[in-house]
Amino acid sequence: MSDYMFMLENHLTPDQNRVLVEVESAAAVAGVNLFLSGGAVRDMIGGFPIRDLDFTVEGPAVKIAKAIAHRTKGDVVATDEHRKRAELRFPGGVTAEIAMARQERYGKPGAKPQITPATIHEDLRGRDFTVNSLALSLNRASRGLLLDPTNGLADLERRELRAVGNYTFYDDPIRLLRLIRFRVRLGFEIAERTRSQYENARAAEVDKYISPEAFYHELMNIAAEPNPGDILQALEQEKLLQLIAPFLAGPKLNLPGFAKLLKARQLLPFGVDVHLDSAALFFYLLNEKITVKERTQLARAIAMPRADAERWQKLEPRAKKLEKELKAAGLQKPSALYHVLAKAPGEQVLFLLVKSTERLVLDRIRNYYQKYLPAALEVTERDVIAAGGQPGTLKFQKIRDHLIVTRLDARPKKAPAPPEEPPAPPSPAAPARGGQPIARKHA
C-alpha cells in the first residue's frame, strides 16, 4: 500500500471507505480508469476533513454513476449531461461526484464550453487552481500514484492559491467568486501573479458574463461550507456579492444570523449524518432581511428552481411544528426525545437552535446532540450481531433500537460508598509548659 493510500484510508470515515470500495469495484467491472481527484485529494494532503468524494473516470461517468447508485441503494441527486458528471448521495450521508475526464474549450468568457473526452492529465491541466488539480490513481496497476501535472502539491505546502492558466478567470468568470471562497475556507494566500490576473479580469468586467445558473451553483457551494457567513462577508468586501443583487450588501446581509448558524453547527458530531439540508437554511437566512420584492428579484437573478425556493420558504413553518412537538410533556425519557430528534430533518433542528426562544426546546436539543446521540452511537454493529441481529434485516434494526433505548434510559449506577476509615490513634500527651510531658497517675 502506498503512503497516499494509507493516508486516504485514515482520513475517510467508515461510510466513506465503503463508498470508495464500491466505486472502485464498479470501475473495475466497467473496465475504466478511475481516479480520486480535486478537493478530496487536496483536503487529504492538506490535513482538512474530506467532506465529499470526487471521482474522475476515463469513460462514461453518468452511466457508471447510475449503476453504482443502483448497486449501493444510493441516490442520483443531479446529473449534468453536458459535462458528463453526476452527484450521488449514499446511505450514511456520504456525497460523491463522478465525472468524465474532459477538456473544456470556451468560445468567449462565460460561454457554454465545448466538451470533449480527455485523459486524466489533460483534465487536471484544465482545472481552476493548482491545489484542485491533483488526483490519486485507484487502478490496480498504479493504485496510490499521485498525479500532479501543475505542481499543486508545492502550492499546497506553501498554502498558496495559484491559477492553472492565464485565462482561468476569462474562460469561466464564476472562478472569481470561487477564488475568494477557497481563500476563506482554506486560509491560503493568493499568489501574486494570480492576484494580478484576478484584478485584470475585474477591470475587464468579465464578471458581467456570469450566468444566473453559475451564480446559483456557487451559492449552493457556499451553503455547504462550514462557515458561509465569513465567505459572504469576504465577497461583499470584494464587491462580488453585489453582482448577484446590490441589496445583499450592507445591513441586509444577515451576518448575525449566519454567526448563530455557525455556533449551532458546532454542536453537530463530526462524521454523523444528521440529514441536513444546508441550502434551505442558507437561503432562509440570506432572504430573512430583504423585502418580498427583493426576494423575487434575487430568485430571478440566480435562476433558482421553484422546488428549491419552496424548501427554504417552508422551513420555518415545519420547524415550528417540531418546536411544538419538542415542548410536549411526554419527552422526559431520554429515549423518547432521541426518537423524535433522530427522525427530524437536521435543518429544522438547527433552525430552532438559531431562532427558537423556548428554553425547554433549546435544552432538549443540546442534550440530544451532546448526550443522547453520542450514547446511541456507542451501540455498534457488533453489539447488535451479538444480540442476535443480522445486518440488512428488520430484526437487526429492532434489536438496535432496543439496545439504544436500554442504554439511554438506564439509571446511572450509584458510586460505591467509600470504605470507612479506621479510627484515628490517640494523640500523644500534650507537653507541659516546661517542655516535659505530664506524668500520668497509675491506678
Side-chain angles (χ1 to χ4, degrees), residues 263-275:
K263 188 176 180 181
R265 291 186 72 160
Q266 290 171 347
L267 288 174
L268 302 182
F270 176 74
V272 177
D273 182 20
V274 294
H275 313 290

Side-chain angles (χ1 to χ4, degrees), residues 194-268:
T194 299
R195 170 59 74 174
S196 297
Q197 292 171 337
Y198 168 87
E199 291 173 352
N200 291 338
R202 295 296 306 275
E205 297 184 340
V206 299
D207 46 53
K208 67 184 179 183
Y209 297 107
I210 301 176
S211 68
E213 292 79 10
F215 275 132
Y216 176 68
H217 188 262
E218 181 59 21
L219 285 175
M220 290 290 284
N221 286 330
I222 296 172
E225 294 284 348
N227 190 356
D230 280 1
I231 296 173
L232 292 174
Q233 187 174 27
L235 291 174
E236 181 193 25
Q237 292 169 349
E238 292 285 336
K239 301 189 185 308
L240 287 168
L241 194 61
Q242 295 87 319
L243 297 174
I244 303 174
F247 49 77
L248 286 179
K252 290 189 176 182
L253 181 57
N254 190 11
L255 294 178
F258 285 106
K260 290 181 179 178
L261 176 60
L262 174 63
K263 188 176 180 181
R265 291 186 72 160
Q266 290 171 347
L267 288 174
L268 302 182

Side-chain angles (χ1 to χ4, degrees), residues 130-149:
T130 60
V131 296
N132 296 332
S133 301
L134 300 164
L136 193 66
S137 173
L138 298 176
N139 305 298
R140 180 175 297 178
S142 58
R143 195 168 188 265
L145 176 66
L146 183 69
L147 306 179
D148 182 17

Side-chain angles (χ1 to χ4, degrees), residues 44-58:
M44 175 194 74
I45 298 175
F48 303 103
I50 298 177
R51 298 185 303 165
D52 306 302
L53 298 175
D54 303 309
F55 297 100
T56 301
V57 297
E58 294 177 335

Side-chain angles (χ1 to χ4, degrees), residues 379-396:
V379 177
T380 65
E381 183 176 287
R382 183 179 298 176
D383 296 330
V384 182
I385 293 173
Q390 292 297 323
T393 65
L394 184 60
K395 183 180 178 182
F396 180 90

